[in-house]
Amino acid sequence: MSSDLEAVRRARVGILISGRGSNMVALADAVREERIPNAEIAIVISDKTNAAGLNKAKERGIETLVIERRGRKREEHDREIVAALKGKDVDLVCLAGYMRMLSREFIEAYRDRILNIHPSLLPAFPGLEAQRQALEHGVKTSGCTVHFVDETLDGGPVIAQCTVPVHQTDTVESLSARILVEEHKLYPETVSFVLRQIANKE
Ligand code: GRF
């Protein structure tokens, strides 16, 4: 029986990082400020012990976990990550500077429930050093993309994009900084949108 008094379950978001974690912070802050309503960050998992984002998560009172690859196969490593996410009852997985491709098993376990943010207007410039690729191609506009993760490298369906101008005087650093400002807005907005879609389906 449902009643108005019944507590609505908060959507549980798991975030995977490998590095500095600024997008993770943007998501955590948006959850705290209810710009991503009715959600909580259930866990932040890093595949690197020295990821700077781990401390930023801890400072925000978010549970963290390091799951290193330690020479294991991708499938085995991913199995441990999926088990940790399932153990925390995670509904949506957000990759935020997570520097590894996911195995098919991981993608199947969270089909249509894994998002990634990438610093280019996909399908242009997938993979590493997207901003450098953009500069080398001489594009006049670049930006960032949030997309569903599938088996391809940065190739899953696009959900949202934001553009930024590329100036003639830009360096990789200046273009990356301009894009990052937009990443920090686009990712929370998109997570909020996707969680609303999921809630409407349930
Ligand atoms: C961001 O540029 C993101 O688009 C890409 O990796 C970078 C991660 O930065 N996937 P941060 O760790 O979120 O600061």
Side-chain angles (χ1 to χ4, degrees):
M1 189 181 74
S2 77
S3 90
D4 290 346
L5 295 175
E6 207 171 80
V8 181
R9 181 182 173 281
R10 286 179 174 270
R12 296 176 64 76
V13 177
I15 305 179
L16 267 55
I17 63 168
S18 297
R20 97 195 130 173
S22 71
N23 278 288
M24 177 275 297
V25 167
L27 292 175
D29 290 351
V31 164
R32 199 192 56 234
E33 293 160 15
E34 299 272 335
R35 282 180 286 119
I36 302 176
N38 209 28
E40 59 191 297
I41 308 295
I43 191 156
V44 169
I45 299 178
S46 171
D47 64 333
K48 300 259 186 290
T49 38
N50 58 354
L54 285 168
N55 276 336
K56 297 177 188 166
K58 283 181 200 150
E59 280 162 18
R60 286 165 175 78
I62 300 168
E63 187 175 333
T64 62
L65 186 63
V66 175
I67 304 182
E68 283 184 290
R69 186 168 174 193
R70 287 194 307 267
R72 291 175 296 174
K73 284 213 173 99
R74 185 187 312 282
E75 286 69 22
E76 206 186 317
H77 182 226
D78 278 5
R79 225 168 279 141
E80 193 178 336
I81 296 174
V82 169
L85 293 168
K86 296 277 178 194
K88 285 283 155 191
D89 234 356
V90 162
D91 304 297
L92 183 73
V93 181
C94 294
L95 308 187
Y98 184 66
M99 298 304 287
R100 291 179 58 74
M101 293 274 291
L102 304 187
S103 60
R104 176 174 294 271
E105 226 180 294
F106 191 148
I107 291 160
E108 290 299 338
Y110 277 99
R111 178 65 73 185
D112 297 332
R113 300 281 184 111
I114 312 172
L115 308 185
N116 181 41
I117 185 150
H118 184 78
S120 76
L121 296 176
L122 291 171
F125 316 133
L128 295 175
E129 301 207 76
Q131 302 94 332
R132 182 182 302 281
Q133 293 184 53
L135 285 178
E136 283 172 1
H137 277 78
V139 296
K140 304 301 170 215
T141 303
S142 190
C144 51
T145 303
V146 179
H147 64 96
F148 286 113
V149 174
D150 66 11
E151 289 82 355
T152 60
L153 175 65
D154 299 322
V158 169
I159 310 167
Q161 292 184 311
C162 181
T163 60
V164 306
V166 181
H167 304 313
Q168 213 147 30
T169 51
D170 265 330
T171 59
V172 171
E173 289 71 30
S174 65
L175 178 59
S176 301
R178 192 174 309 119
I179 293 173
L180 196 63
V181 171
E182 301 307 324
E183 291 186 40
H184 294 164
K185 295 184 223 158
L186 187 71
Y187 212 179
E189 284 168 12
T190 311
V191 167
S192 175
F193 169 76
V194 169
L195 288 178
R196 225 167 30 240
Q197 302 292 109
I198 292 173
N200 286 343
K201 267 193 227 150
E202 282 172 353

